[in-house]
């Protein structure tokens, strides 16, 4: 059911059709035209209806949700894709990789790399009504993260409904060494330097994630709570890019160095 003032969610058969199209694009690594080309009214509500069905299809294949990612939390990322609000999607176990992982470019369709602060929860958070203070208290570990965002939509021609339906453009994540959370650490001030092949190409700090990465955790808990979903202890929360995403190129190495967290690296094979 849509909220007052929202466009109606796509009819059940349309959501199914869109989810299957994205599922096949993900499986075959062949992009499809924007869903909003044929359904211009597909908004956030409709996008999440498609996302839920796509998630069900992937879980039926054996996938397991190990957390959630927030996307489009920084001004550069919102500007890059012409949207003005964050989105979110599930993180699947098969997409989480250790520091130093080497990927083949062909594992993705149109990948880009971005650096972000990742939290692992020590306790559950059930919205709505979760505060930033409650979110801070629930964080057990902090992790330097690199996310590979990928779009099953041709040439990243996405509107908000497209990227939400497409699992918030989920591709893969590479995580560094977990560091225990500290009550006196202000994650808003955490600085990050992003390098490609050793050259500094972007920088950011915690405030670039919606003003406060812990606020992203509270936001996710509250948005998920509207659908009856709890952020569980042990789950990851990826809080969003601290800079504009960088295209992933064969042969390149990407490093993100964070205050207090150290450096996380991913590599791309030459072919």
């Amino acid at each position: 059911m849509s909220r007052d003032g929202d466009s109606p969610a796509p009819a059940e058969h349309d959501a199914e059709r869109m989810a299957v199209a994205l599922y096949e694009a993900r499986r075959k690594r062949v992009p499809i035209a924007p869903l909003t080309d044929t359904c211009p009214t597909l908004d956030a509500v409709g996008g999440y209806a498609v996302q839920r069905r796509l998630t069900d299809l992937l879980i039926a294949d054996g996938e397991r949700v190990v957390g959630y990612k927030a996307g489009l939390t920084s001004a550069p990322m919102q500007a890059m894709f012409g949207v003005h609000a964050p989105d979110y999607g599930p993180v699947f176990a098969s997409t989480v990789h250790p520091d130093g992982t080497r990927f083949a470019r062909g594992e993705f369709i149109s990948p880009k790399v971005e650096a972000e602060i990742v939290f692992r929860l020590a306790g559950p958070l059930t919205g709505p009504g979760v505060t930033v203070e409650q979110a801070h208290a629930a964080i057990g570990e902090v992790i330097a993260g690199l996310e590979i965002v990928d779009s099953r939509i041709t040439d990243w021609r996405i509107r908000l409904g497209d990227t939400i339906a497409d699992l918030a453009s989920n591709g893969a994540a590479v995580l560094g060494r977990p560091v225990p959370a500290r009550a006196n650490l202000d994650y808003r001030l955490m600085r990050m330097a992003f390098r490609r092949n050793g050259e500094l190409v972007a920088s950011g700090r915690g405030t670039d994630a919606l003003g406060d990465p812990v606020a992203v955790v509270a936001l996710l808990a509250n948005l998920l709570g509207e659908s009856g979903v709890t952020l569980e202890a042990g789950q990851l929360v990826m809080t969003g890019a601290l800079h504009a995403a960088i295209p992933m190129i064969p042969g390149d190495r990407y490093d993100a160095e964070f205050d207090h967290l150290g450096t996380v690296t991913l590599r791309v094979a030459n072919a």
Side-chain angles (χ1 to χ4, degrees), residues 123-193:
L125 290 170
T126 303
V130 173
T131 66
V132 173
E133 292 74 21
Q134 290 170 328
H136 205 297
I139 293 169
E141 294 177 332
V142 193
I143 310 168
L146 289 171
E147 183 180 8
I148 300 173
V149 291
D150 197 20
S151 181
R152 272 56 65 173
I153 304 299
T154 300
D155 298 328
W156 283 93
R157 292 190 293 113
I158 57 171
R159 296 171 66 185
L160 187 59
D162 295 300
T163 186
I164 288 173
D166 189 22
L167 305 174
S169 301
N170 169 298
V174 176
L175 303 183
R177 178 179 58 86
V179 173
R182 288 164 40 191
N184 62 346
L185 184 57
D186 189 342
Y187 301 109
R188 295 174 297 181
L189 305 180
M190 186 174 286
R191 296 171 299 176
M192 181 280 303

Side-chain angles (χ1 to χ4, degrees), residues 60-139:
D61 276 350
E63 281 286 11
R64 180 169 57 90
V65 174
V66 294
Y68 291 87
K69 59 157 291 185
L72 309 179
T73 55
S74 69
M77 290 302 295
Q78 291 185 8
M80 179 179 289
F81 299 117
V83 299
H84 307 286
D87 64 352
Y88 67 87
V91 174
F92 295 108
S94 70
T95 68
V96 179
H97 303 269
D99 186 18
T101 295
R102 184 184 298 271
F103 295 91
R105 170 63 174 75
E107 296 177 48
F108 307 96
I109 294 173
S110 185
K112 303 174 187 286
V113 185
E114 55 189 43
E116 56 195 86
I117 297 167
V118 181
F119 296 121
R120 191 185 304 276
L121 298 183
L125 290 170
T126 303
V130 173
T131 66
V132 173
E133 292 74 21
Q134 290 170 328
H136 205 297
I139 293 169

